[in-house]
Amino acid sequence: MERLTKVADHARSRLDRLWSRGSDFLGTRVAILGGAMSWVSERHLVSAISNAGGFGVIACGAMGPALLEAEIAATQARTEKPFGVNLITMHPQLDELIQVCICAGVTHIVLAGGVPPGPAVRAVKESGAKLICFAPALVLARRLVKSGADAIVIEGSEAGGHIGPVSLTVLAQEILPYLRDVPVFVAGGLGRGEAILSYLEMGASGAQLGTRFAASTDSIAHPNFKRAFMRANARDAVPSVQLDPRFPVIPVRGLVNEGTKRFLELQAETVRRFAAGEVSREEAQLEIEHFWAGALRRAVIDGDVENGSVMAGQSVGMVTRAQSVQEIVDELVQQAAQAIAGRD
Ligand SMILES: Cc1cc2nc3c(=O)[nH]c(=O)nc-3n(C[C@H](O)[C@H](O)[C@H](O)COP(=O)(O)O)c2cc1C
């Protein structure tokens, strides 16, 4: 019994050492971030993740400055632990949103959705807040670090939501051995502690998960949304399909449903109308882009999982039952520690 406790203690302290750079950077007990998810990552889920020892991140999405200010204050009322705010770089009020974060004393700001503009980077840096950016390739990661990023998230195409083309398995090999200047967090398709451990051993400082937290009992997502996650297998979470190279579709990973089928039909019909001269190229592109407007909200908040956008990572196959955020975090830590202990 005593030996078992010693092995467990040893495994846990080995894990703590492996992700200490990440947990020091985040100011947390464990280096696990709850990736920002529009409509999902609000005060309840974010504070639950931070209170569980991880690092919650508010998804600002399309919120304006006043709403973001209220969301930050409400989150601060629920946790004294650190959390971050994720801002989309193309938001028309990006500068104001950064000021809201700074004035509220947010310690970590994530700039997502493209290379952040210079003034935004400078504003974050001058405030003393830590800047986290996404890098889809090593060259870009190096450029972001040079311009001021204090940490990088590499997100593989297994992830839910907007995705790049490369899997985490490959991104990790391309980036982790070469980017040592700042902590690097891995994301996409992660559902178990053993997988997180393997990336820590490759040089990652921590991991970011979205899908598993979205389905947690602390998430405000509609019961239909969570049920869809529990029923789905990895193969059901697929990227959006682009029918015609002339009309680009932003790749988004989510569960196949009526909406994804109708999206294909809409593209086919729009391309036909363009070919027949009934609509201009710009009108056709706009029609395609508008198809998903408001669709994530429809699925997450209204529970319309047939017509809405049920964004989910391939990790959705590992969502099998309703669990609290605390249970998920503890389970991930336990799995990683057990894998370490199993080697002794
Ligand atoms: C429903 C949903 C919405 C998301 N929305 C955003 C977002 O608004 N901004 C963002 O940077 N990432 C977003 N993501 C990506 C997550 O932050 C996270 O990186 C991703 O979920 C990790 O992969 P996993 O789902 O396999 O754990 C979203 C993911 C999901 C599942």
Side-chain angles (χ1 to χ4, degrees):
M1 186 65 189
E2 199 185 324
R3 200 194 102 69
L4 278 182
T5 318
K6 265 193 193 144
V7 170
D9 286 350
H10 160 79
R12 193 49 226 270
S13 43
R14 168 100 188 101
L15 179 62
D16 286 342
R17 275 201 305 281
L18 269 171
W19 63 22
S20 61
R21 195 180 185 193
S23 48
D24 288 350
F25 172 79
L26 299 168
T28 55
R29 190 170 57 79
V30 302
I32 295 175
L33 295 101
M37 296 175 278
S38 295
W39 296 107
V40 183
S41 298
E42 47 64 76
R43 60 192 76 175
H44 298 91
L45 183 62
V46 173
S47 59
I49 294 171
S50 292
N51 286 333
F55 188 83
V57 180
I58 293 176
C60 175
M63 270 185 229
L67 275 183
L68 178 64
E69 191 179 354
E71 205 53 51
I72 294 171
T75 309
Q76 284 167 335
R78 288 170 173 268
T79 184
E80 287 177 357
K81 302 276 165 53
F83 63 87
V85 175
N86 175 302
L87 305 173
I88 313 273
T89 52
M90 54 260 201
H91 194 297
Q93 290 171 293
L94 179 62
D95 295 341
E96 288 105 302
L97 295 171
I98 291 174
Q99 286 314 315
V100 166
C101 293
I102 294 170
C103 291
V106 172
T107 51
H108 298 66
I109 297 177
V110 186
L111 293 180
V115 179
V121 171
R122 276 193 296 281
V124 175
K125 300 294 293 181
E126 278 163 18
S127 77
K130 296 194 169 85
L131 174 64
I132 306 176
C133 296
F134 285 83
L138 182 60
V139 274
L140 200 63
R142 286 198 167 124
R143 227 173 84 199
L144 287 165
V145 171
K146 217 167 150 194
S147 69
D150 298 300
I152 294 289
V153 178
I154 55 172
E155 189 190 55
S157 55
E158 304 93 327
H162 293 81
I163 49 168
V166 183
S167 70
L168 179 59
T169 316
V170 172
L171 278 183
Q173 294 171 81
E174 285 184 349
I175 296 179
L176 292 178
Y178 306 104
L179 196 71
R180 294 296 196 189
D181 335 30
V182 299
V184 180
F185 297 93
V186 289
L190 297 172
R192 292 191 60 99
E194 298 90 336
I196 295 174
L197 173 66
S198 71
Y199 287 112
L200 294 177
E201 289 180 325
M202 285 176 70
S205 294
Q208 167 165 307
L209 280 72
T211 297
R212 283 207 65 193
F213 290 133
S216 71
T217 51
D218 296 285
S219 149
I220 57 141
H222 195 283
N224 292 351
F225 190 85
K226 296 185 194 177
R227 258 196 300 275
F229 272 40
M230 273 174 238
R231 286 199 194 115
N233 296 310
R235 70 175 69 175
D236 301 320
V238 299
S240 44
V241 178
Q242 174 182 315
L243 217 58
D244 189 301
R246 290 170 298 179
F247 299 102
V249 166
I250 298 168
V252 172
R253 188 179 294 284
L255 299 185
V256 185
N257 61 6
E258 267 312 305
T260 57
K261 280 182 215 153
R262 279 198 300 108
F263 184 50
L264 277 180
E265 288 160 13
L266 170 102
Q267 286 183 72
E269 174 60 11
T270 310
V271 171
R272 188 201 61 72
R273 286 169 55 227
F274 169 69
E278 293 168 25
V279 283
S280 71
R281 198 182 181 115
E282 291 68 32
E283 285 165 340
Q285 182 66 42
L286 270 183
E287 276 182 28
I288 290 172
E289 280 169 16
H290 277 167
F291 181 86
W292 290 113
L296 180 61
R297 184 187 194 284
R298 213 177 307 146
V300 173
I301 306 295
D302 305 340
D304 182 357
V305 291
E306 269 317 312
N307 301 295
S309 169
V310 191
M311 292 182 187
Q314 291 181 326
S315 50
V316 76
M318 287 175 266
V319 176
T320 51
R321 62 202 160 95
Q323 283 178 295
S324 69
V325 161
Q326 186 71 63
E327 282 175 283
I328 295 171
V329 169
D330 291 348
E331 188 180 278
L332 295 168
V333 169
Q334 178 77 359
Q335 288 163 343
Q338 254 168 15
I340 295 171
R343 296 168 185 167
D344 295 321

